């Protein structure tokens, strides 16, 4: 009987974690979609990207500076960056969950996955 209640507790914890992670994914997607829509609205209102012809920001400081200035292209790009980072956040949350559960093997595996994601994002720019 004790094993059965332990299994139910583990199942309940797993379900709670899955719900929390799915909420974060939903929040990330909704925020990124809202930012992209804002950029599109700004683009349709202004009729231009906010930058001179044939120029687009290529690094994060330029993109975020343009977003603060509400330049449509920069705002849309920021929304896309947020969308790309949403699953990365999911992996980071998973590490935190595994640390709380004391599951060292999954902490190591998920940390390696997060490292690979970060390196691939950094190298993708190059």
């Amino acid at each position: 009987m004790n094993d059965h209640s332990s299994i139910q507790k583990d199942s309940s914890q797993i379900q709670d974690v899955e719900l929390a992670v799915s909420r974060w994914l939903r929040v990330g997607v909704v925020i990124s979609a809202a930012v992209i829509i804002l950029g599109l609205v700004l683009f349709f209102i202004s009729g231009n990207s906010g930058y001179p012809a044939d120029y687009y920001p290529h690094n994060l400081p330029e993109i975020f500076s343009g977003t603060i200035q509400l330049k449509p292209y920069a705002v849309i790009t920021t929304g896309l960056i947020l969308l790309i980072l949403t699953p990365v956040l999911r992996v980071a949350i998973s590490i935190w969950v595994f640390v709380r559960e004391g599951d060292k093997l999954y902490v190591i595996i998920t940390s390696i996955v997060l490292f690979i994601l970060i390196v691939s994002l950094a190298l993708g720019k190059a």
Side-chain angles (χ1 to χ4, degrees), residues 4-20 23 97 101:
H4 184 62
S5 65
S6 175
I7 291 171
Q8 282 182 329
K9 182 180 175 188
D10 289 345
S11 177
S12 174
Q13 285 178 338
I14 290 170
Q15 214 171 23
D16 291 345
V17 168
E18 288 176 357
L19 284 172
R23 275 189 223 116
V97 168
E101 291 177 354

Side-chain angles (χ1 to χ4, degrees), residues 64-105:
F64 292 135
S65 172
T67 300
I68 291 170
Q69 297 170 20
L70 295 177
K71 294 183 176 184
Y73 179 82
V75 174
I76 293 169
T77 304
T78 299
L80 292 173
I81 290 169
L82 290 172
L83 186 61
I84 291 168
L85 291 178
T86 299
V88 177
L89 176 64
R90 188 248 190 266
V91 174
I93 292 170
S94 296
I95 292 171
W96 175 73
V97 168
F98 293 137
V99 166
R100 282 187 52 206
E101 291 177 354
D103 195 338
K104 293 177 185 176
L105 177 63

Side-chain angles (χ1 to χ4, degrees), residues 30-53:
V30 167
I31 290 172
S32 62
V35 172
I36 292 169
I37 290 169
L38 172 65
L40 288 171
V41 168
L42 291 170
F43 177 75
F44 287 123
I45 289 171
S46 69
N48 64 48
S49 70
Y51 293 96

